[in-house]
Amino acid sequence: MPYITTTDGAEIFYKDWGSGQPVIFSHGWPLSSDAWDVELKLMADHGFRAIAHDRRGHGRSTQTWLGNDMDTYAADLASLVDQLGLKDVIVVGHSTGGGEAVRFAAQHGRGNVVKVVTAGAIPPVMIKSDSNPDGAPIEVFDAIRAGVAGDRSQFYQDLAWQFFGANRAGSKISQGQRDQFWRLSMQVGLKAAYDCVAVFSETDFTEDLKALDMPMFIAHGSDDQIVPIADAALKSVQLVKNATLKVYEGAPHGIAGDYQQEFDLDLLEFIRG
């Protein structure tokens, strides 16, 4: 299997499909690159080089004790880009991966990242504070940590319902999709899963967003129960110089079903444009 090795010795697994301009996908917590398989195939089928990696601690990458922080995640992505010699990169990130894509583009991608796409992404910052009074209280994230540290298998099964909006009337999300979420979640190391709760809730991307000067497409579901749109996309679009926001009415956090079909068409159009 293909891996790159980071400066601290972590081995980062990646998929590399097709050829052409590189489009790199960053997955959400607590998943892996497998979550992007449909989009990877879509991009490769349309003449792009589609790449997705397993974040350290997740999937098939090394379960490091240290380095479960956003700066290291972005540096790992920069190592992947450097070692593969990628130029004119387009980065796409979902949820926590959206934060990773934004930080990478702002701090490592000057002159090389040409477009950024996020979906249900965590920026600018999720946790409630004096400077972010509309955020979620720390008790919300403490409960997630407790679920991860306790019966994480059942926690991930329960979380899948909110993740995909399967708890909403009329949801068409299948048992198979919820099972896949659980399967990928169970592959993340406990330390990485636990540490990453603070990463996705407490990291402030405000300055990263302000630093972006390339075109950015921000996608978000109006019924996202994991990363509420009012705390995320509606604020992010105000901070980026050249950003377009599309709100997917009634869509959940997880990219699946009708939301996935519409988003994939928009993604392809934005990347081609």
Side-chain angles (χ1 to χ4, degrees), residues 116-147:
V116 177
V117 179
T118 62
I122 57 174
V125 61
M126 291 189 68
I127 199 165
K128 183 177 182 179
S129 65
D130 291 343
S131 59
N132 187 43
D134 298 327
I138 194 169
E139 289 79 10
V140 171
F141 305 107
D142 285 342
I144 298 173
R145 276 184 279 265

Side-chain angles (χ1 to χ4, degrees), residues 208-220:
D208 299 299
L209 291 166
K210 290 179 179 179
L212 299 180
D213 56 6
M214 68 288 290
M216 181 175 182
F217 176 59
I218 301 173
H220 216 108

